[in-house]
């Protein structure tokens, strides 16, 4: 009897760029993203990332792009960036057809472990579009707290998408890692 293997984690390489762009886009944009619950298709059109943006994360010092594979297939990813006493968590994507089965929790736990073990980070920071109440609630159930600190959405910069509403902004969420 074949049993599925659990996820494996590794750092992304240039060879992963196209697959990573496809994964991130599938989790957040367009009709394909509606297969999962993390879609932003109702609030943003256009791209979520591009090859240049992914390559930049891979090459940036003090940054890692963790790739998650299951049975040889890329199924999730997240960015970690060392920023002094804290780490930044971003570019988090789970294949839409695998969402809701615990993979996201496993990715977050590994990201937090890496930030503590490799960088001695005492906090994890992330920014989330403030109107994403369901997603923010998911992070809150994992120990993140809303700070009330917001950053304007980059309207007019299509590298971040094309907004479908005028009230978008990012909110900083923080979790203690100690």
């Amino acid at each position: 009897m074949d049993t599925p293997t659990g996820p494996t984690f590794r750092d992304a390489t240039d060879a992963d760029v196209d697959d990573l762009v496809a994964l991130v886009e599938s989790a957040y944009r367009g009709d394909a993203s509606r297969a999962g619950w993390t879609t932003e298709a109702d609030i943003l059109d256009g791209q979520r990332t591009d090859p240049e943006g992914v390559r930049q994360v891979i090459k940036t010092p003090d940054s890692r792009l963790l790739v998650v594979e299951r049975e040889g297939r890329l199924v999730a990813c997240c960015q970690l960036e060392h920023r002094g006493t804290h780490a930044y968590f971003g570019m988090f994507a789970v294949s839409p057809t695998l969402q809701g089965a615990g993979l996201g929790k496993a990715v977050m736990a590994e990201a937090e472990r890496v930030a503590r073990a490799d960088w001695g980070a005492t906090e994890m920071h992330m920014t989330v579009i403030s109107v994403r109440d369901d997603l923010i609630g998911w992070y809150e159930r994992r120990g993140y707290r809303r700070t009330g600190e917001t950053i304007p959405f980059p309207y007019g910069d299509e590298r971040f998408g094309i907004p479908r509403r005028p009230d978008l902004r990012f909110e900083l969420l923080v979790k203690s890692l100690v």
Side-chain angles (χ1 to χ4, degrees):
M1 176 157 120
D2 289 331
T3 57
T5 58
T8 58
F9 297 86
R10 64 173 175 81
D11 287 336
T13 68
D14 284 341
D16 296 313
V17 169
D18 291 340
D19 288 340
L20 285 164
V21 170
L23 172 68
V24 172
E25 294 298 311
S26 76
Y28 291 99
R29 296 291 197 275
D31 286 336
S33 69
R34 295 181 193 282
W37 67 273
T38 60
T39 184
E40 294 171 344
D42 293 329
I43 59 174
L44 290 160
D45 289 322
Q47 70 179 30
R48 180 73 171 353
T49 193
D50 57 29
E52 179 182 315
V54 171
R55 218 172 269 108
Q56 182 178 347
V57 171
I58 291 171
K59 299 292 185 199
T60 298
D62 286 330
S63 177
R64 296 177 70 178
L65 186 50
L66 290 181
V67 170
V68 185
E69 293 177 318
R70 182 181 283 162
E71 299 175 3
R73 190 171 68 95
L74 198 147
V75 295
C77 68
C78 71
Q79 169 194 9
L80 290 171
E81 188 174 313
H82 185 203
R83 296 181 179 177
T85 60
H86 74 271
Y88 178 80
F89 179 84
M91 204 179 288
F92 183 32
V94 174
S95 177
T97 58
L98 298 176
Q99 292 175 14
L103 182 57
K105 292 177 199 172
V107 173
M108 290 208 71
E110 177 65 5
E112 292 166 4
R113 186 199 68 74
V114 166
R116 277 191 306 271
D118 292 0
W119 297 325
T122 58
E123 286 185 334
M124 186 76 85
H125 291 197
M126 71 172 72
T127 54
V128 180
I129 296 174
S130 63
V131 298
R132 298 292 317 276
D133 293 328
D134 53 346
L135 187 58
I136 291 171
W138 189 86
Y139 288 127
E140 286 177 319
R141 290 189 296 278
R142 270 128 210 101
Y144 288 80
R145 65 177 172 75
R146 296 180 91 151
T147 64
E149 183 180 326
T150 61
I151 302 159
F153 188 87
Y155 284 90
D157 187 343
E158 291 188 6
R159 290 178 304 160
F160 298 94
I162 303 167
R164 297 180 69 165
R165 47 191 289 178
D167 61 342
L168 301 181
R169 63 186 187 283
F170 294 104
E171 182 171 351
L172 176 66
L173 304 183
V174 175
K175 179 180 181 177
S176 173
L177 299 178
V178 293

